[in-house]
Amino acid sequence: MNSPLAAAPEAWAQCELQGRRIFRDCVASLAQGRAAVSDTHIAEVVDLGGERVRQGIHLTHSVRAGVVLFEVVLDRIIQFAEDTGISWQTYSAAVRSLQQGIGRRLEAGSIGYDSFMLDRVREVHDQGHRRLAREIHDQIGNSLSLAMRQLELFESELTRQQHQLPEHVQAAQAAILETLASTRELVTELRRPAVGGGLEAALTRFVESMGEPGVSVQVWVRGLDEWMPGPLAEELYIMVRECLRNAFAHAAAGNIVVNIDIAPHEIQTEIIDDGRGFDVTTVSCRGSTNGLTGLRERAELLGGTLHIHSSPGRGTDVTIWIPIKAETDERADRRR
């Protein structure tokens, strides 16, 4: 295929590592007779999407590589099934493990790719703000300062002649002073860096307040907070906070990753932990507000979706998608 993934030594080493982990999951599935997909290391893959961009390798090459890997390993599973006469249940478990192992890694990689691109959008956004600030300062600010200086000279001349400044000139002077103050405030605001401020800071404070020893928590918010309506940001914070609280209380995880990508039209959120996991089909919900049902209801009321991938001993992966549109603000208000 002449894939750049194979040509770049660093990229190939990363692909080989993920491939070996997928092989191990398939072998475990054949041994256990059920799908066994390890999510312990999937958090690492989130950054690989952005790493591919920095290496100059487009995401489509990873997708093609995933397809090739699926075909090659599937052929070996089929051959193994024919040689050993394993049951259909064991065979299907291995195939599901293969599909999920590749699919989840591609999904996590695409999140990293999108995050990298959103960071570039924010960088361009900030550069535009700074350029506009310079134009306002250099053009409008200087012109206003010059006009103010002329009025001050006129006032000084009238004072020397023992005359008062006419009222309409005083009013013009006051208006220029007010405009100068507003211009300075606008320039300051435009020059303020647009970091993942409110939401990221709030989640970081919550994590710090929990103070869980031995748990590494990474919180990444990419995109601009200003793209989210206020009520939507509050709802998203509540949902992510609840996922974190559940992970702290029940997962016994060593690592938790929160990745939030804010785009002008949607928000993609993923909370991954490497804890003990659980059976999603049988777990009991602890009330409609704090349990899984409450989380899904919040997402649905915002016009979004929430999916939970977990199994005993395999960690938990919660993905939340919420569209950003005019109706979202109204739904959040109704939920509150």
Side-chain angles (χ1 to χ4, degrees):
M1 292 171 55
N2 294 320
S3 173
L5 290 170
E10 183 181 356
W12 177 249
Q14 294 165 339
C15 289
E16 183 180 2
L17 174 63
Q18 298 305 322
R20 289 184 181 276
R21 289 172 177 169
I22 292 171
F23 296 160
R24 285 199 297 267
D25 284 347
C26 289
V27 171
S29 299
L30 289 170
Q32 300 171 16
R34 61 181 179 83
V37 179
S38 174
D39 287 332
T40 305
H41 303 286
I42 293 247
E44 300 175 8
V45 188
V46 173
D47 273 348
L48 284 183
E51 184 65 23
R52 292 289 181 265
V53 181
R54 288 186 286 271
Q55 293 168 341
I57 302 174
H58 196 273
L59 183 63
T60 54
H61 294 291
S62 296
V63 176
R64 290 170 183 165
V67 172
V68 171
L69 182 64
F70 183 86
E71 292 175 348
V72 171
V73 180
L74 181 61
D75 286 343
R76 297 302 298 270
I77 293 175
I78 293 173
Q79 185 64 50
F80 179 80
E82 292 175 349
D83 293 343
T84 61
I86 60 175
S87 67
W88 169 255
Q89 179 182 359
T90 301
Y91 166 77
S92 61
V95 174
R96 284 199 303 273
S97 178
L98 173 63
Q99 184 272 326
Q100 293 176 17
I102 295 175
R104 292 186 189 178
R105 283 171 170 81
L106 288 175
E107 180 183 1
S110 70
I111 290 174
Y113 179 87
D114 291 344
S115 298
F116 182 89
M117 299 308 295
L118 281 170
D119 280 344
R120 294 299 302 272
V121 169
R122 180 161 60 185
E123 181 182 339
V124 172
H125 182 275
D126 291 346
Q127 290 175 353
H129 274 193
R130 289 193 291 270
R131 184 169 57 251
L132 181 57
R134 289 194 299 270
E135 292 295 325
I136 292 174
H137 178 271
D138 295 343
Q139 303 297 329
I140 300 177
N142 287 341
S143 297
L144 288 171
S145 297
L146 181 60
M148 191 64 197
R149 181 57 180 162
Q150 294 297 323
L151 287 176
E152 288 173 349
L153 291 173
F154 180 55
E155 181 181 17
S156 177
E157 179 64 21
L158 288 178
T159 301
R160 189 178 65 81
Q161 298 177 7
Q162 298 182 346
H163 293 296
Q164 289 186 347
L165 197 65
E167 290 186 2
H168 67 279
V169 179
Q170 292 181 25
Q173 192 177 43
I176 291 176
L177 284 172
E178 182 179 352
T179 305
L180 269 173
S182 300
T183 301
R184 291 192 186 100
E185 291 177 3
L186 179 59
V187 169
T188 300
E189 184 65 27
L190 287 171
R191 284 176 173 167
R192 182 174 294 121
V195 297
L199 184 59
E200 183 172 359
L203 289 171
T204 301
R205 285 194 299 270
F206 171 73
V207 170
E208 292 172 350
S209 70
M210 295 297 290
E212 292 292 328
V215 182
S216 172
V217 183
Q218 301 177 62
V219 179
W220 300 328
V221 177
R222 297 174 173 88
L224 300 177
D225 281 25
E226 63 195 56
W227 288 337
M228 290 187 298
L232 173 56
E234 294 178 17
E235 287 291 310
L236 180 60
Y237 169 76
I238 291 172
M239 286 190 285
V240 176
R241 182 187 63 187
E242 189 57 38
C243 290
L244 286 171
R245 183 179 286 123
N246 287 337
F248 287 139
H250 306 290
N255 296 278
I256 303 174
V257 174
V258 177
N259 185 76
I260 302 175
D261 288 330
I262 308 170
H265 62 289
E266 66 178 3
I267 306 170
Q268 288 277 4
T269 301
E270 187 164 22
I271 305 99
I272 307 172
D273 71 62
D274 60 359
R276 60 169 59 102
F278 61 94
D279 187 342
V280 179
T281 62
T282 61
V283 70
S284 60
C285 298
R286 300 182 307 280
S288 61
T289 300
N290 297 325
L292 305 183
T293 301
L295 288 172
R296 286 197 176 93
E297 286 178 353
R298 285 182 180 274
E300 290 170 0
L301 285 169
L302 294 169
T305 58
L306 181 143
H307 296 287
I308 301 174
H309 301 283
S310 186
S311 60
R314 302 295 178 179
T316 301
D317 183 350
V318 180
T319 58
I320 304 170
W321 174 81
I322 300 174
I324 297 179
K325 48 188 178 182
E327 297 82 10
T328 302
D329 206 348
E330 298 173 3
R331 287 174 181 154
D333 285 334
R334 288 200 300 270
R335 182 71 178 90
R336 291 174 60 80

